[in-house]
Amino acid sequence: MPIPHVHPSEAEDFENLVKRAKRSLDDFEISATPEEPVTREANVISPVSGGITIKSKKTGQSRTYRTGHMSNWVMQAYGDVEAGVL
């Protein structure tokens, strides 16, 4: 399932890990927002980043993670799913 504003490979990785935990993406409300790239030097494009909020429909708990280049939101969210937080 595509998640707007999240790289398709990250969304696929998250979906696969959710399935490994015997859960479904339908168990969650997921919203992601991009941030505008920030340039520190002229003619330099910064990596795209943003945030993703995942809310468990079962527990009502939600967590927000940083997304984008060099983020590990997929594993952080999976850890929260496995721990029963989400």
Side-chain angles (χ1 to χ4, degrees):
M1 166 182 141
I3 302 172
H5 309 298
V6 171
H7 192 278
S9 66
E10 291 180 332
E12 182 180 347
D13 290 345
F14 181 65
E15 183 173 11
N16 289 334
L17 290 172
V18 165
K19 287 178 182 176
R20 181 185 293 173
K22 308 227 184 314
R23 302 281 299 277
S24 166
L25 287 182
D26 292 334
D27 295 342
F28 306 97
E29 293 175 13
I30 302 172
S31 63
T33 54
E35 290 181 0
E36 292 297 318
V38 177
T39 58
R40 295 186 181 170
E41 300 173 29
N43 300 320
V44 175
I45 299 173
S46 297
V48 176
S49 63
I52 186 166
T53 300
I54 303 172
K55 180 178 179 180
S56 169
K57 293 178 182 177
K58 180 179 178 182
T59 67
Q61 294 286 328
S62 66
R63 295 287 187 267
T64 300
Y65 310 94
R66 191 119 175 97
T67 61
H69 184 69
M70 300 295 290
S71 72
N72 64 345
W73 76 266
V74 173
M75 293 308 297
Q76 289 176 323
Y78 175 64
D80 286 340
V81 169
E82 282 284 284
V85 175
L86 294 176

